[in-house]
Amino acid sequence: MTTMETDRLVDDYLSRLEEAAAHLQRSRRTELIAEIREHIDTALREEDAAGEVAVRNVLERLGPPEEIVEAAEPVPEGERAPPGGLEVAAMVTLVVPFIGWLFGIAMVLISKVWSNREKTIGTALAVLAVAPFLALVIIDSYSESASDTLEAFLFVLWVIGGLPSAIYLGLALRRTE
Amino acid sequence: MRYMEPVQTRKSLSQLRRGTVEYCVLALLRDGARYGFEIVRELSEVDGLVTSEGTIYPLLTRLRKEQLVTTFWRESESGPPRRYYELTDAGKSALEDFAKEWARFRDSVDAILTKEEG
Protein backbone atom coordinates (compact mmCIF):
# COMPACT_ATOMS: atom_id res chain seq x y z
CA MET A 1 0.00 0.00 0.00
CA THR A 2 1.59 3.23 -1.04
CA THR A 3 0.89 6.60 0.49
CA MET A 4 -0.16 7.82 -2.92
CA GLU A 5 -3.17 5.54 -2.97
CA THR A 6 -4.32 6.49 0.50
CA ASP A 7 -3.81 10.15 -0.38
CA ARG A 8 -6.01 9.63 -3.38
CA LEU A 9 -8.75 8.13 -1.18
CA VAL A 10 -8.63 11.16 1.09
CA ASP A 11 -8.48 13.60 -1.82
CA ASP A 12 -11.45 11.95 -3.50
CA TYR A 13 -13.41 12.17 -0.28
CA LEU A 14 -12.55 15.82 0.23
CA SER A 15 -13.41 16.78 -3.32
CA ARG A 16 -16.77 15.05 -2.94
CA LEU A 17 -17.23 17.12 0.19
CA GLU A 18 -16.28 20.30 -1.63
CA GLU A 19 -18.73 19.54 -4.39
CA ALA A 20 -21.53 18.78 -1.95
CA ALA A 21 -20.78 22.02 -0.11
CA ALA A 22 -21.04 24.19 -3.22
CA HIS A 23 -24.02 26.05 -1.81
CA LEU A 24 -22.28 27.00 1.44
CA GLN A 25 -20.61 30.35 1.91
CA ARG A 26 -17.00 30.19 0.81
CA SER A 27 -15.59 30.79 4.31
CA ARG A 28 -17.83 28.17 5.78
CA ARG A 29 -16.97 25.67 3.09
CA THR A 30 -13.24 26.21 3.52
CA GLU A 31 -13.54 25.83 7.27
CA LEU A 32 -15.59 22.65 7.02
CA ILE A 33 -13.13 21.05 4.63
CA ALA A 34 -10.20 22.06 6.87
CA GLU A 35 -11.91 20.53 9.89
CA ILE A 36 -12.64 17.26 8.14
CA ARG A 37 -9.08 17.09 6.80
CA GLU A 38 -7.79 17.70 10.30
CA HIS A 39 -10.06 14.99 11.66
CA ILE A 40 -8.69 12.48 9.15
CA ASP A 41 -5.10 13.42 10.01
CA THR A 42 -5.73 13.21 13.75
CA ALA A 43 -7.58 9.91 13.46
CA LEU A 44 -4.76 8.31 11.49
CA ARG A 45 -2.15 9.69 13.85
CA GLU A 46 -3.95 8.59 17.01
CA GLU A 47 -4.53 5.15 15.65
CA ASP A 48 -0.96 5.12 14.44
CA ALA A 49 -2.12 3.66 11.17
CA ALA A 50 -1.92 4.88 7.62
CA GLY A 51 -2.77 1.88 5.45
CA GLU A 52 -5.65 1.71 3.07
CA VAL A 53 -7.86 -0.12 5.56
CA ALA A 54 -7.25 2.49 8.24
CA VAL A 55 -8.04 5.33 5.85
CA ARG A 56 -11.16 3.61 4.59
CA ASN A 57 -12.36 3.07 8.14
CA VAL A 58 -11.81 6.69 9.10
CA LEU A 59 -13.74 7.87 6.02
CA GLU A 60 -16.48 5.34 6.65
CA ARG A 61 -16.93 6.62 10.19
CA LEU A 62 -17.04 10.21 8.96
CA GLY A 63 -20.00 9.27 6.79
CA PRO A 64 -21.07 10.41 3.32
CA PRO A 65 -19.89 13.97 2.53
CA GLU A 66 -23.43 14.85 1.47
CA GLU A 67 -24.67 14.01 4.94
CA ILE A 68 -22.04 16.23 6.57
CA VAL A 69 -23.04 19.15 4.38
CA GLU A 70 -26.70 18.48 5.03
CA ALA A 71 -25.94 18.88 8.73
CA ALA A 72 -24.25 22.21 8.03
CA GLU A 73 -27.00 23.60 5.88
CA PRO A 74 -29.57 21.67 3.90
CA VAL A 75 -29.47 22.35 0.17
CA PRO A 76 -31.95 25.18 -0.25
CA GLU A 77 -34.99 23.99 -2.16
CA GLY A 78 -36.23 26.06 -5.03
CA GLU A 79 -33.34 28.42 -4.64
CA ARG A 80 -31.04 28.89 -7.57
CA ALA A 81 -27.34 28.25 -7.34
CA PRO A 82 -25.37 31.36 -8.27
CA PRO A 83 -24.43 31.48 -11.96
CA GLY A 84 -20.80 30.81 -12.72
CA GLY A 85 -18.44 31.17 -15.68
CA LEU A 86 -20.21 28.36 -17.51
CA GLU A 87 -23.50 30.25 -17.64
CA VAL A 88 -21.87 33.49 -18.79
CA ALA A 89 -19.86 31.65 -21.44
CA ALA A 90 -23.00 29.87 -22.64
CA MET A 91 -24.89 33.12 -23.15
CA VAL A 92 -21.98 34.79 -24.94
CA THR A 93 -21.23 31.90 -27.29
CA LEU A 94 -24.91 31.40 -28.17
CA VAL A 95 -24.78 34.47 -30.40
CA VAL A 96 -21.67 33.27 -32.23
CA PRO A 97 -22.77 31.23 -35.28
CA PHE A 98 -21.74 27.61 -35.90
CA ILE A 99 -19.25 26.39 -33.29
CA GLY A 100 -20.19 29.03 -30.73
CA TRP A 101 -23.84 28.26 -31.14
CA LEU A 102 -23.22 24.52 -30.72
CA PHE A 103 -21.04 24.99 -27.66
CA GLY A 104 -23.50 27.51 -26.27
CA ILE A 105 -26.33 25.00 -26.40
CA ALA A 106 -24.12 22.28 -24.95
CA MET A 107 -23.16 24.52 -22.04
CA VAL A 108 -26.77 25.48 -21.41
CA LEU A 109 -27.68 21.80 -21.26
CA ILE A 110 -24.94 20.82 -18.80
CA SER A 111 -25.48 23.84 -16.55
CA LYS A 112 -26.93 23.05 -13.14
CA VAL A 113 -28.27 26.56 -12.67
CA TRP A 114 -31.05 26.59 -15.23
CA SER A 115 -34.08 24.40 -14.72
CA ASN A 116 -35.08 21.82 -17.31
CA ARG A 117 -37.90 24.04 -18.45
CA GLU A 118 -35.60 27.00 -18.96
CA LYS A 119 -33.12 24.82 -20.80
CA THR A 120 -35.86 23.61 -23.15
CA ILE A 121 -37.10 27.11 -23.89
CA GLY A 122 -33.59 28.52 -24.26
CA THR A 123 -32.55 25.74 -26.63
CA ALA A 124 -35.78 25.98 -28.63
CA LEU A 125 -35.24 29.74 -29.10
CA ALA A 126 -31.67 29.12 -30.23
CA VAL A 127 -32.78 26.43 -32.70
CA LEU A 128 -35.62 28.61 -34.05
CA ALA A 129 -33.13 31.37 -34.74
CA VAL A 130 -31.11 29.10 -36.97
CA ALA A 131 -33.98 27.39 -38.73
CA PRO A 132 -34.41 29.91 -41.63
CA PHE A 133 -30.68 29.82 -42.37
CA LEU A 134 -30.51 26.04 -42.32
CA ALA A 135 -33.65 25.73 -44.42
CA LEU A 136 -32.15 27.97 -47.05
CA VAL A 137 -28.87 26.09 -47.09
CA ILE A 138 -30.72 22.81 -47.59
CA ILE A 139 -32.96 24.21 -50.32
CA ASP A 140 -29.87 25.74 -51.92
CA SER A 141 -28.07 22.47 -52.12
CA TYR A 142 -30.94 21.05 -54.20
CA SER A 143 -31.60 23.97 -56.47
CA GLU A 144 -28.90 26.01 -58.06
CA SER A 145 -30.76 29.24 -57.52
CA ALA A 146 -28.44 30.45 -54.78
CA SER A 147 -29.12 33.88 -53.54
CA ASP A 148 -26.02 35.15 -51.80
CA THR A 149 -27.76 38.22 -50.51
CA LEU A 150 -30.51 36.20 -48.90
CA GLU A 151 -27.95 33.82 -47.42
CA ALA A 152 -25.96 36.68 -45.96
CA PHE A 153 -29.13 38.24 -44.63
CA LEU A 154 -30.17 35.03 -42.90
CA PHE A 155 -26.68 34.61 -41.53
CA VAL A 156 -26.99 37.99 -39.85
CA LEU A 157 -30.40 36.86 -38.67
CA TRP A 158 -28.68 33.91 -37.02
CA VAL A 159 -26.45 36.19 -35.00
CA ILE A 160 -29.38 38.35 -33.99
CA GLY A 161 -31.49 35.22 -33.56
CA GLY A 162 -29.18 33.93 -30.85
CA LEU A 163 -29.98 36.98 -28.80
CA PRO A 164 -33.52 36.08 -27.63
CA SER A 165 -32.20 32.81 -26.29
CA ALA A 166 -29.28 34.48 -24.51
CA ILE A 167 -31.54 37.22 -23.14
CA TYR A 168 -34.16 34.73 -22.02
CA LEU A 169 -31.55 32.66 -20.19
CA GLY A 170 -30.00 35.77 -18.69
CA LEU A 171 -33.33 36.97 -17.34
CA ALA A 172 -34.05 33.49 -16.01
CA LEU A 173 -30.96 33.78 -13.82
CA ARG A 174 -32.47 36.76 -12.05
CA ARG A 175 -35.61 34.89 -11.13
CA THR A 176 -35.85 32.59 -8.21
CA GLU A 177 -38.02 29.58 -8.59
CA MET B 1 -49.14 3.02 2.67
CA ARG B 2 -47.67 0.84 5.40
CA TYR B 3 -44.38 0.53 3.55
CA MET B 4 -43.83 4.27 4.07
CA GLU B 5 -43.57 3.91 7.83
CA PRO B 6 -39.92 2.97 8.19
CA VAL B 7 -38.90 6.04 6.18
CA GLN B 8 -41.07 8.23 8.37
CA THR B 9 -39.63 6.68 11.51
CA ARG B 10 -36.11 7.19 10.29
CA LYS B 11 -36.87 10.83 9.52
CA SER B 12 -38.37 11.44 12.94
CA LEU B 13 -35.48 9.79 14.69
CA SER B 14 -32.95 11.75 12.70
CA GLN B 15 -34.69 15.01 13.58
CA LEU B 16 -34.84 14.00 17.21
CA ARG B 17 -31.17 13.09 17.11
CA ARG B 18 -30.25 16.33 15.45
CA GLY B 19 -31.99 18.32 18.14
CA THR B 20 -30.52 16.44 21.06
CA VAL B 21 -26.97 15.73 19.96
CA GLU B 22 -25.98 19.35 20.33
CA TYR B 23 -26.86 19.23 24.01
CA CYS B 24 -24.84 16.05 24.33
CA VAL B 25 -21.91 18.03 22.96
CA LEU B 26 -22.51 20.74 25.54
CA ALA B 27 -22.71 18.06 28.23
CA LEU B 28 -19.34 16.63 27.16
CA LEU B 29 -17.83 20.06 27.71
CA ARG B 30 -19.26 20.42 31.21
CA ASP B 31 -16.02 19.35 32.86
CA GLY B 32 -13.75 21.46 30.74
CA ALA B 33 -12.51 22.24 27.25
CA ARG B 34 -11.96 19.48 24.72
CA TYR B 35 -10.82 19.37 21.15
CA GLY B 36 -12.98 18.51 18.17
CA PHE B 37 -11.68 15.03 17.50
CA GLU B 38 -12.08 14.04 21.14
CA ILE B 39 -15.70 15.22 21.20
CA VAL B 40 -16.50 13.45 17.94
CA ARG B 41 -14.98 10.13 18.99
CA GLU B 42 -16.62 10.14 22.39
CA LEU B 43 -20.05 10.86 20.91
CA SER B 44 -19.73 8.25 18.21
CA GLU B 45 -18.86 5.60 20.75
CA VAL B 46 -22.26 6.00 22.37
CA ASP B 47 -24.71 3.66 20.71
CA GLY B 48 -27.27 5.11 18.32
CA LEU B 49 -26.43 8.76 18.87
CA VAL B 50 -24.28 9.68 15.90
CA THR B 51 -24.29 7.76 12.64
CA SER B 52 -21.78 9.90 10.74
CA GLU B 53 -18.93 11.42 12.72
CA GLY B 54 -18.46 14.16 10.16
CA THR B 55 -21.83 15.71 11.00
CA ILE B 56 -20.52 16.82 14.40
CA TYR B 57 -18.25 19.47 12.90
CA PRO B 58 -21.03 21.59 11.40
CA LEU B 59 -22.80 21.23 14.72
CA LEU B 60 -19.77 22.57 16.60
CA THR B 61 -19.69 25.52 14.20
CA ARG B 62 -23.35 26.20 14.91
CA LEU B 63 -22.81 26.09 18.67
CA ARG B 64 -19.98 28.55 18.29
CA LYS B 65 -22.12 30.88 16.18
CA GLU B 66 -24.86 30.70 18.79
CA GLN B 67 -22.17 31.55 21.34
CA LEU B 68 -22.91 28.51 23.44
CA VAL B 69 -19.26 27.53 23.11
CA THR B 70 -16.05 29.43 22.46
CA THR B 71 -12.96 28.07 20.83
CA PHE B 72 -9.25 28.50 21.28
CA TRP B 73 -6.14 26.87 19.90
CA ARG B 74 -3.71 24.89 21.99
CA GLU B 75 -0.42 23.23 21.10
CA SER B 76 -0.52 19.46 20.79
CA GLU B 77 2.28 17.09 21.74
CA SER B 78 1.75 14.90 18.73
CA GLY B 79 0.95 17.15 15.83
CA PRO B 80 -0.36 20.53 14.73
CA PRO B 81 -2.22 22.81 17.18
CA ARG B 82 -5.76 21.78 18.03
CA ARG B 83 -8.92 23.77 18.25
CA TYR B 84 -10.51 23.41 21.68
CA TYR B 85 -14.16 24.02 22.51
CA GLU B 86 -15.30 25.40 25.83
CA LEU B 87 -18.74 26.13 27.31
CA THR B 88 -19.77 29.76 27.67
CA ASP B 89 -22.10 30.92 30.43
CA ALA B 90 -24.92 30.91 27.90
CA GLY B 91 -23.93 27.37 26.99
CA LYS B 92 -24.00 26.28 30.61
CA SER B 93 -27.48 27.62 31.21
CA ALA B 94 -28.76 26.22 27.90
CA LEU B 95 -27.47 22.84 29.00
CA GLU B 96 -29.12 23.10 32.41
CA ASP B 97 -32.45 24.08 30.91
CA PHE B 98 -32.32 21.29 28.40
CA ALA B 99 -31.35 18.68 30.98
CA LYS B 100 -34.43 19.54 33.04
CA GLU B 101 -36.82 19.65 30.11
CA TRP B 102 -35.34 16.51 28.64
CA ALA B 103 -35.95 14.52 31.81
CA ARG B 104 -39.58 15.57 31.81
CA PHE B 105 -40.00 14.90 28.12
CA ARG B 106 -38.32 11.49 28.31
CA ASP B 107 -40.43 10.42 31.28
CA SER B 108 -43.65 11.52 29.59
CA VAL B 109 -42.84 9.75 26.33
CA ASP B 110 -41.79 6.63 28.20
CA ALA B 111 -44.97 6.66 30.26
CA ILE B 112 -47.15 6.82 27.17
CA LEU B 113 -45.11 4.35 25.13
CA THR B 114 -45.16 1.70 27.86
CA LYS B 115 -48.87 2.25 28.48
CA GLU B 116 -49.58 1.71 24.78
CA GLU B 117 -47.55 -1.47 24.83
CA GLY B 118 -49.17 -3.03 27.88
Side-chain angles (χ1 to χ4, degrees), chain A residues 31-46:
Chain A
E31 186 183 56
L32 181 62
I33 293 166
E35 278 173 336
I36 297 297
R37 186 191 291 275
E38 207 182 297
H39 176 98
I40 297 169
D41 290 346
T42 314
L44 293 175
R45 206 168 33 238
E46 302 235 329

PDB file of all heavy atoms in Angstrom, chain A residues 31-46:
ATOM      1  N   GLU A  31     -13.720  26.237   5.878  1.00  0.00           N
ATOM      2  CA  GLU A  31     -13.541  25.828   7.266  1.00  0.00           C
ATOM      3  C   GLU A  31     -13.945  24.372   7.469  1.00  0.00           C
ATOM      4  O   GLU A  31     -13.224  23.594   8.097  1.00  0.00           O
ATOM      5  CB  GLU A  31     -14.378  26.729   8.169  1.00  0.00           C
ATOM      6  CG  GLU A  31     -14.156  26.481   9.634  1.00  0.00           C
ATOM      7  CD  GLU A  31     -15.065  27.347  10.486  1.00  0.00           C
ATOM      8  OE1 GLU A  31     -16.298  27.287  10.297  1.00  0.00           O
ATOM      9  OE2 GLU A  31     -14.543  28.085  11.325  1.00  0.00           O
ATOM     10  N   LEU A  32     -15.089  24.020   6.886  1.00  0.00           N
ATOM     11  CA  LEU A  32     -15.589  22.651   7.022  1.00  0.00           C
ATOM     12  C   LEU A  32     -14.587  21.649   6.444  1.00  0.00           C
ATOM     13  O   LEU A  32     -14.265  20.635   7.068  1.00  0.00           O
ATOM     14  CB  LEU A  32     -16.949  22.521   6.327  1.00  0.00           C
ATOM     15  CG  LEU A  32     -17.625  21.154   6.401  1.00  0.00           C
ATOM     16  CD1 LEU A  32     -17.935  20.785   7.842  1.00  0.00           C
ATOM     17  CD2 LEU A  32     -18.902  21.136   5.582  1.00  0.00           C
ATOM     18  N   ILE A  33     -14.072  21.962   5.271  1.00  0.00           N
ATOM     19  CA  ILE A  33     -13.127  21.052   4.631  1.00  0.00           C
ATOM     20  C   ILE A  33     -11.850  20.937   5.472  1.00  0.00           C
ATOM     21  O   ILE A  33     -11.320  19.844   5.672  1.00  0.00           O
ATOM     22  CB  ILE A  33     -12.814  21.516   3.189  1.00  0.00           C
ATOM     23  CG1 ILE A  33     -14.087  21.368   2.345  1.00  0.00           C
ATOM     24  CG2 ILE A  33     -11.680  20.707   2.577  1.00  0.00           C
ATOM     25  CD1 ILE A  33     -14.037  22.068   1.022  1.00  0.00           C
ATOM     26  N   ALA A  34     -11.398  22.073   6.020  1.00  0.00           N
ATOM     27  CA  ALA A  34     -10.199  22.057   6.867  1.00  0.00           C
ATOM     28  C   ALA A  34     -10.424  21.195   8.102  1.00  0.00           C
ATOM     29  O   ALA A  34      -9.552  20.423   8.512  1.00  0.00           O
ATOM     30  CB  ALA A  34      -9.824  23.477   7.259  1.00  0.00           C
ATOM     31  N   GLU A  35     -11.611  21.306   8.690  1.00  0.00           N
ATOM     32  CA  GLU A  35     -11.914  20.527   9.892  1.00  0.00           C
ATOM     33  C   GLU A  35     -11.941  19.032   9.606  1.00  0.00           C
ATOM     34  O   GLU A  35     -11.437  18.229  10.391  1.00  0.00           O
ATOM     35  CB  GLU A  35     -13.265  20.969  10.466  1.00  0.00           C
ATOM     36  CG  GLU A  35     -13.155  22.211  11.307  1.00  0.00           C
ATOM     37  CD  GLU A  35     -14.513  22.755  11.727  1.00  0.00           C
ATOM     38  OE1 GLU A  35     -15.521  22.487  11.037  1.00  0.00           O
ATOM     39  OE2 GLU A  35     -14.573  23.452  12.743  1.00  0.00           O
ATOM     40  N   ILE A  36     -12.550  18.681   8.487  1.00  0.00           N
ATOM     41  CA  ILE A  36     -12.645  17.264   8.139  1.00  0.00           C
ATOM     42  C   ILE A  36     -11.253  16.713   7.816  1.00  0.00           C
ATOM     43  O   ILE A  36     -10.881  15.613   8.230  1.00  0.00           O
ATOM     44  CB  ILE A  36     -13.621  17.050   6.952  1.00  0.00           C
ATOM     45  CG1 ILE A  36     -15.033  17.494   7.345  1.00  0.00           C
ATOM     46  CG2 ILE A  36     -13.617  15.596   6.506  1.00  0.00           C
ATOM     47  CD1 ILE A  36     -15.673  16.713   8.475  1.00  0.00           C
ATOM     48  N   ARG A  37     -10.446  17.518   7.116  1.00  0.00           N
ATOM     49  CA  ARG A  37      -9.081  17.094   6.803  1.00  0.00           C
ATOM     50  C   ARG A  37      -8.290  16.877   8.096  1.00  0.00           C
ATOM     51  O   ARG A  37      -7.575  15.888   8.249  1.00  0.00           O
ATOM     52  CB  ARG A  37      -8.395  18.155   5.945  1.00  0.00           C
ATOM     53  CG  ARG A  37      -7.026  17.743   5.442  1.00  0.00           C
ATOM     54  CD  ARG A  37      -6.299  18.906   4.828  1.00  0.00           C
ATOM     55  NE  ARG A  37      -6.911  19.348   3.576  1.00  0.00           N
ATOM     56  CZ  ARG A  37      -6.632  18.778   2.394  1.00  0.00           C
ATOM     57  NH1 ARG A  37      -5.792  17.786   2.321  1.00  0.00           N
ATOM     58  NH2 ARG A  37      -7.198  19.215   1.306  1.00  0.00           N
ATOM     59  N   GLU A  38      -8.473  17.795   9.017  1.00  0.00           N
ATOM     60  CA  GLU A  38      -7.788  17.703  10.303  1.00  0.00           C
ATOM     61  C   GLU A  38      -8.231  16.444  11.061  1.00  0.00           C
ATOM     62  O   GLU A  38      -7.415  15.754  11.675  1.00  0.00           O
ATOM     63  CB  GLU A  38      -8.141  18.948  11.106  1.00  0.00           C
ATOM     64  CG  GLU A  38      -7.111  19.372  12.124  1.00  0.00           C
ATOM     65  CD  GLU A  38      -7.619  20.593  12.873  1.00  0.00           C
ATOM     66  OE1 GLU A  38      -7.822  21.633  12.222  1.00  0.00           O
ATOM     67  OE2 GLU A  38      -7.827  20.487  14.090  1.00  0.00           O
ATOM     68  N   HIS A  39      -9.523  16.187  10.996  1.00  0.00           N
ATOM     69  CA  HIS A  39     -10.058  14.994  11.660  1.00  0.00           C
ATOM     70  C   HIS A  39      -9.388  13.733  11.103  1.00  0.00           C
ATOM     71  O   HIS A  39      -8.968  12.863  11.862  1.00  0.00           O
ATOM     72  CB  HIS A  39     -11.572  14.916  11.449  1.00  0.00           C
ATOM     73  CG  HIS A  39     -12.202  13.673  12.005  1.00  0.00           C
ATOM     74  ND1 HIS A  39     -12.815  13.648  13.239  1.00  0.00           N
ATOM     75  CD2 HIS A  39     -12.276  12.412  11.517  1.00  0.00           C
ATOM     76  CE1 HIS A  39     -13.243  12.416  13.473  1.00  0.00           C
ATOM     77  NE2 HIS A  39     -12.943  11.642  12.441  1.00  0.00           N
ATOM     78  N   ILE A  40      -9.295  13.663   9.789  1.00  0.00           N
ATOM     79  CA  ILE A  40      -8.692  12.482   9.147  1.00  0.00           C
ATOM     80  C   ILE A  40      -7.237  12.339   9.603  1.00  0.00           C
ATOM     81  O   ILE A  40      -6.804  11.252  10.005  1.00  0.00           O
ATOM     82  CB  ILE A  40      -8.780  12.603   7.604  1.00  0.00           C
ATOM     83  CG1 ILE A  40     -10.249  12.630   7.173  1.00  0.00           C
ATOM     84  CG2 ILE A  40      -8.041  11.450   6.930  1.00  0.00           C
ATOM     85  CD1 ILE A  40     -10.468  12.999   5.715  1.00  0.00           C
ATOM     86  N   ASP A  41      -6.507  13.451   9.589  1.00  0.00           N
ATOM     87  CA  ASP A  41      -5.099  13.417  10.014  1.00  0.00           C
ATOM     88  C   ASP A  41      -4.968  12.955  11.462  1.00  0.00           C
ATOM     89  O   ASP A  41      -4.149  12.097  11.782  1.00  0.00           O
ATOM     90  CB  ASP A  41      -4.455  14.808   9.864  1.00  0.00           C
ATOM     91  CG  ASP A  41      -4.282  15.185   8.398  1.00  0.00           C
ATOM     92  OD1 ASP A  41      -4.407  14.277   7.547  1.00  0.00           O
ATOM     93  OD2 ASP A  41      -4.036  16.372   8.112  1.00  0.00           O
ATOM     94  N   THR A  42      -5.797  13.560  12.321  1.00  0.00           N
ATOM     95  CA  THR A  42      -5.731  13.208  13.746  1.00  0.00           C
ATOM     96  C   THR A  42      -6.075  11.735  13.956  1.00  0.00           C
ATOM     97  O   THR A  42      -5.400  11.029  14.699  1.00  0.00           O
ATOM     98  CB  THR A  42      -6.709  14.077  14.563  1.00  0.00           C
ATOM     99  OG1 THR A  42      -6.551  15.426  14.149  1.00  0.00           O
ATOM    100  CG2 THR A  42      -6.429  13.963  16.048  1.00  0.00           C
ATOM    101  N   ALA A  43      -7.143  11.298  13.285  1.00  0.00           N
ATOM    102  CA  ALA A  43      -7.581   9.914  13.461  1.00  0.00           C
ATOM    103  C   ALA A  43      -6.467   8.949  13.072  1.00  0.00           C
ATOM    104  O   ALA A  43      -6.198   7.982  13.798  1.00  0.00           O
ATOM    105  CB  ALA A  43      -8.828   9.657  12.617  1.00  0.00           C
ATOM    106  N   LEU A  44      -5.818   9.225  11.954  1.00  0.00           N
ATOM    107  CA  LEU A  44      -4.765   8.313  11.492  1.00  0.00           C
ATOM    108  C   LEU A  44      -3.554   8.378  12.424  1.00  0.00           C
ATOM    109  O   LEU A  44      -2.890   7.373  12.665  1.00  0.00           O
ATOM    110  CB  LEU A  44      -4.362   8.647  10.056  1.00  0.00           C
ATOM    111  CG  LEU A  44      -5.459   8.390   9.023  1.00  0.00           C
ATOM    112  CD1 LEU A  44      -5.022   8.861   7.653  1.00  0.00           C
ATOM    113  CD2 LEU A  44      -5.816   6.901   8.979  1.00  0.00           C
ATOM    114  N   ARG A  45      -3.287   9.554  12.954  1.00  0.00           N
ATOM    115  CA  ARG A  45      -2.150   9.693  13.852  1.00  0.00           C
ATOM    116  C   ARG A  45      -2.410   8.988  15.187  1.00  0.00           C
ATOM    117  O   ARG A  45      -1.584   8.272  15.693  1.00  0.00           O
ATOM    118  CB  ARG A  45      -1.837  11.171  14.086  1.00  0.00           C
ATOM    119  CG  ARG A  45      -0.394  11.416  14.458  1.00  0.00           C
ATOM    120  CD  ARG A  45      -0.015  12.879  14.413  1.00  0.00           C
ATOM    121  NE  ARG A  45      -1.124  13.732  14.785  1.00  0.00           N
ATOM    122  CZ  ARG A  45      -1.623  14.670  13.998  1.00  0.00           C
ATOM    123  NH1 ARG A  45      -1.119  14.876  12.809  1.00  0.00           N
ATOM    124  NH2 ARG A  45      -2.617  15.412  14.410  1.00  0.00           N
ATOM    125  N   GLU A  46      -3.627   9.191  15.715  1.00  0.00           N
ATOM    126  CA  GLU A  46      -3.950   8.595  17.009  1.00  0.00           C
ATOM    127  C   GLU A  46      -3.987   7.067  16.931  1.00  0.00           C
ATOM    128  O   GLU A  46      -3.646   6.378  17.864  1.00  0.00           O
ATOM    129  CB  GLU A  46      -5.300   9.115  17.523  1.00  0.00           C
ATOM    130  CG  GLU A  46      -5.314  10.619  17.642  1.00  0.00           C
ATOM    131  CD  GLU A  46      -5.700  11.120  19.010  1.00  0.00           C
ATOM    132  OE1 GLU A  46      -6.494  10.433  19.664  1.00  0.00           O
ATOM    133  OE2 GLU A  46      -5.188  12.184  19.410  1.00  0.00           O
TER     134      GLU A  46
END
